[in-house]
């Protein structure tokens, strides 16, 4: 999945920032004279240098403990990092380590070390199970989760009070009723914001499919986008929210996630599906935010969508041992918590998650932490997912638009996904 799935594709500064801790030499297997090249994404959407400082501090500490290994870190904007790594690999100059949005194409091309070739057993076994599963291709883990996120229903408490609503919705029916009360009793623009525009429609879609008991794949991992459960979910959305004019002045198929989030921080949205980074932005803007598990048909949804960004080790330079030492160091609780905490994201390991739960500084992330272990991630282990995701972004809005047909739209998307899957 692209980093935009975590909500941070907004303009980021300092393209091509570099933390260079240079050295030279070839691998001896023991770390003597080895320089690891690491390309990482910039998470600092405010234009600061928090990502640069994190990697500088981390690599300095690592080098102090491993004097035979140097680390050269190149930081790129999320707008560019996946493309830059792809260009490096194509040119035969793959980095040793890349922290980017997707791993599947490189794993399929046999360019990556598997997790068990790099990591110690305690580190490999410490990842949260849904993140481990999502990092696997053909039952072998190649993608290591770097940071994670998940989704909850956000609502504006002040608008709820103004509308006479006493509590958060737990079912779809209650959500529609609350949206109607917001429409009738306040001047809010978007009673419920439904961003099915091309920026991140694949995420919003997945949240609704899961809350309706479906999903992108079946129990065998095959695409099932056109399942009856999924069709029923989108028919409910169309009939009960969109056609009742409860989704605001911009058609869902034209509404992008970043615009919906910005409207929420302005107080123009009653409810939407949000993630931890939006929570911070909304609270800074003075919005009193309520957050609960996503509503389902008859009660809170059994599961929600999880998201992860990935880090991986490339085979090309033969630095397997040194890469493993660095990654074992990276995934210590201290380092995992430092990065997740400074970016309002969730730690990817069991032990770090337990530590964050106990930290009062992160009390506002409690609900996210509770649902992450049971979350479902998109099928990022499929090389066909990239094309399927783009197809969803471009077309899913048609399902709820004027004259749209959920069955027809989902069938078309599903057929294309299955065709791409069969070519894997």
């Amino acid at each position: 999945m692209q980093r935009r799935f975590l909500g941070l594709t907004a303009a980021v500064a300092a393209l091509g920032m570099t933390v260079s801790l240079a050295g030279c030499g070839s691998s001896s297997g023991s770390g003597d004279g080895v320089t690891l090249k690491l390309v990482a994404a910039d998470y600092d959407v405010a234009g600061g240098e928090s990502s640069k400082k994190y990697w500088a501090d981390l690599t300095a500490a690592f080098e102090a403990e491993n004097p035979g290994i140097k680390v050269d870190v190149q930081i790129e904007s999320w707008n560019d990092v996946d493309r830059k790594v792809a260009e490096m690999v194509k040119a035969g100059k793959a980095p040793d380590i890349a922290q980017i949005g997707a791993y599947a194409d490189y794993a399929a091309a046999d360019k990556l070390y598997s997790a068990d070739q790099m990591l110690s057993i305690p580190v490999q076994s410490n990842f949260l199970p849904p993140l481990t599963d999502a990092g696997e291709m053909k039952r072998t883990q190649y993608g290591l989760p770097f940071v994670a996120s998940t989704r909850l229903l956000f609502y504006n408490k002040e608008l709820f009070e103004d509308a006479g609503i006493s509590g958060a919705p737990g079912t779809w029916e209650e959500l529609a009723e609350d949206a109607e009360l917001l429409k009738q009793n306040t001047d809010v623009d978007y009673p419920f914001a439904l961003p099915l525009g091309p920026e991140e429609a694949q995420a919003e879609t997945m949240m609704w499919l899961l809350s309706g008991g479906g999903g992108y794949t079946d129990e065998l991992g095959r695409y099932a986008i056109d399942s009856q459960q999924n069709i029923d979910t989108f028919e409910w959305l169309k009939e009960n929210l969109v056609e009742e004019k409860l989704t605001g002045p911009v058609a869902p198929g034209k509404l992008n996630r970043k615009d919906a989030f910005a409207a929420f921080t302005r107080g123009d949205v009653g409810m939407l599906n949000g993630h931890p980074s939006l929570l911070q932005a909304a609270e800074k803007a003075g919005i009193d935010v309520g957050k609960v598990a996503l509503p389902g048909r008859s009660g809170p949804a059994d599961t929600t969508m999880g998201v992860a960004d990935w880090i991986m080790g490339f085979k090309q330079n033969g630095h397997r041992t040194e890469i493993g030492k660095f990654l074992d160091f990276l995934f210590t609780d201290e380092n995992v918590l430092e990065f997740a905490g400074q970016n309002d994201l969730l730690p990817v390991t069991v032990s770090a998650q337990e530590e964050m739960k106990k930290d009062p500084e992160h009390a506002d992330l409690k609900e996210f932490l509770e649902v992450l272990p049971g979350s479902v991630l998109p099928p990022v282990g499929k090389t066909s997912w990239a094309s399927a995701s783009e197809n969803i972004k471009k077309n899913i809005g048609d399902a709820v638009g004027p004259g749209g047909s959920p069955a027809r739209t989902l069938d078309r998307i599903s057929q294309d996904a299955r065709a791409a899957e069969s070519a894997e």
Side-chain angles (χ1 to χ4, degrees):
M1 301 301 290
Q2 296 293 327
R3 171 62 186 158
R4 67 175 70 91
F5 220 27
L6 294 187
L8 299 178
T9 51
V12 280
L15 300 187
M17 285 192 302
T18 303
V19 182
S20 184
L21 299 161
C24 58
S26 58
S27 173
S28 67
S30 63
D32 295 337
V34 170
T35 296
L36 297 177
K37 178 67 175 183
L38 187 155
V39 179
D42 182 10
Y43 285 70
D44 196 328
V45 296
E49 296 193 344
S50 62
S51 293
K52 180 178 180 180
K53 184 179 186 304
Y54 173 81
W55 287 111
D57 291 346
L58 184 141
T59 53
F62 172 76
E63 290 179 3
E65 291 187 13
N66 299 272
I69 309 174
K70 299 292 182 182
V71 185
D72 177 15
V73 183
Q74 176 181 331
I75 299 176
E76 298 285 350
S77 139
W78 268 112
N79 294 331
D80 299 316
V81 67
D82 289 279
R83 174 178 56 82
K84 290 285 184 73
V85 170
E87 290 172 351
M88 294 169 72
V89 173
K90 185 176 181 180
K93 299 179 180 180
D96 294 287
I97 303 168
Q99 187 273 299
I100 52 179
Y103 68 87
D105 285 344
Y106 301 121
D110 195 30
K111 294 183 180 297
L112 302 180
Y113 290 117
S114 61
D116 61 356
Q117 291 176 312
M118 298 182 292
L119 302 178
S120 64
I121 292 174
V123 171
Q124 187 181 0
S125 63
N126 197 25
F127 293 122
L128 291 164
L131 305 181
T132 296
D133 293 344
E136 292 181 351
M137 173 176 283
K138 297 180 179 178
R139 299 184 180 180
T140 298
Q141 184 181 5
Y142 296 96
L144 313 180
F146 180 65
V147 285
S149 179
T150 188
R151 302 294 190 267
L152 296 171
L153 177 74
F154 283 23
Y155 62 98
N156 184 315
K157 289 185 177 180
E158 182 177 349
L159 289 172
F160 265 48
E161 183 177 348
D162 292 345
I165 304 170
S166 59
T171 66
W172 287 357
E173 182 180 359
E174 292 171 354
L175 185 148
E177 291 172 352
D178 289 349
E180 183 63 38
L181 288 171
L182 287 163
K183 178 183 175 182
Q184 292 175 359
N185 300 323
T186 73
D187 59 358
V188 66
D189 291 339
Y190 297 87
F192 184 89
L194 182 64
L196 295 176
E199 180 198 356
E200 204 194 23
Q202 86 289 352
E204 186 73 17
T205 296
M206 184 172 180
M207 287 180 252
W208 280 99
L209 299 185
L210 290 171
S211 67
Y216 283 134
T217 58
D218 62 19
E219 64 277 4
L220 298 178
R222 301 170 301 194
Y223 284 117
I225 300 171
D226 59 347
S227 71
Q228 190 59 52
Q229 285 174 308
N230 293 343
I231 292 170
D232 291 346
T233 292
F234 266 79
E235 286 179 344
W236 187 91
L237 280 172
K238 179 179 172 63
E239 295 171 6
N240 294 275
L241 294 184
V242 181
E243 292 181 349
E244 293 296 323
K245 302 188 184 305
L246 299 176
T247 54
V250 180
K254 301 293 184 182
L255 181 63
N256 281 326
R257 188 279 327 275
K258 65 179 181 181
D259 297 323
F261 281 13
F264 188 80
T265 65
R266 296 193 303 267
D268 295 336
V269 174
M271 296 177 283
L272 51 60
N273 295 329
H275 58 54
S277 297
L278 173 62
L279 178 64
Q280 180 189 48
E283 291 178 341
K284 284 182 177 179
I287 304 297
D288 190 2
V289 182
K291 51 190 185 298
V292 293
L294 302 184
R297 287 188 178 277
S298 57
D302 292 333
T303 188
T304 187
M305 182 186 70
V307 183
D309 293 331
W310 305 97
I311 192 164
M312 61 212 70
F314 282 85
K315 291 180 177 180
Q316 180 177 314
N317 302 317
H319 295 159
R320 179 181 64 81
T321 299
E322 295 82 7
I323 292 170
K325 288 182 178 180
F326 180 79
L327 292 175
D328 274 356
F329 184 81
L330 173 67
F331 285 113
T332 59
D333 284 354
E334 178 183 2
N335 292 326
V336 170
L337 286 167
E338 174 67 21
F339 195 87
Q342 75 180 18
N343 290 286
D344 283 302
L345 294 168
L346 307 181
V348 296
T349 63
V350 174
S351 56
Q353 186 183 67
E354 291 304 314
E355 287 299 313
M356 182 175 273
K357 283 181 180 179
K358 293 183 288 187
D359 188 345
E361 182 180 349
H362 299 296
D364 59 347
L365 297 178
K366 177 183 176 182
E367 293 92 341
F368 293 100
L369 291 165
E370 287 175 348
V371 300
L372 180 62
S375 64
V376 176
L377 277 74
V380 293
K382 295 178 179 289
T383 57
S384 57
W385 172 241
S387 62
S389 176
E390 285 301 313
N391 196 353
I392 293 164
K393 292 178 193 178
K394 292 177 182 177
N395 296 301
I396 195 63
D398 294 342
V400 297
S405 165
R408 185 170 61 245
T409 299
L410 292 173
D411 177 67
R412 184 169 64 246
I413 293 171
S414 194
Q415 286 189 35
D416 290 345
R418 288 181 181 129
E421 183 177 38
S422 66
E424 289 183 346

